[in-house]
Amino acid sequence: HEIIPDARLVCTLRDPAARAFSSWLYMRKHGEGESTFRAALDDFPDLIEHGRYGTQLARFAAHYGPDQLFIGLFDDLKSDPQ
């Protein structure tokens, strides 16, 4: 915000469980993480933490007004990219 106070930001939200599972699949593809999703949730708390959108968005909302922050849904973007 200090560098670009007039920025317009776009955020897409995904179902938190689907996002965490997708992140785990990515980790496994690259040889990281646990062999089961359940074990990964225990050992990698960021898999859950990254889906706490309210906490993360609050930091941006404290600096940018509602006219500068667009929040959309991943499923909407996927079904209609335009």
Side-chain angles (χ1 to χ4, degrees):
H1 183 259
E2 291 177 15
I3 296 170
I4 308 173
D6 297 327
R8 295 185 59 153
L9 307 173
V10 175
C11 176
T12 56
L13 305 182
R14 186 174 185 186
D15 174 275
R19 193 217 52 76
F21 188 74
S22 177
S23 291
W24 173 72
L25 290 175
Y26 181 85
M27 291 169 64
R28 295 296 299 154
K29 178 180 176 181
H30 294 282
E32 300 173 16
E34 300 297 330
S35 60
T36 68
F37 182 54
R38 179 69 221 155
L41 291 175
D42 291 336
D43 291 345
F44 297 92
D46 281 350
L47 287 173
I48 298 296
E49 197 60 36
H50 290 165
R52 297 186 191 280
Y53 302 126
T55 302
Q56 295 181 32
L57 288 172
R59 294 181 296 187
F60 292 98
H63 298 285
Y64 294 97
D67 58 323
Q68 292 177 272
L69 183 58
F70 174 80
I71 301 171
L73 299 177
F74 176 80
D75 290 340
D76 292 345
L77 179 62
K78 187 177 174 183
S79 66
D80 184 13
Q82 296 302 319

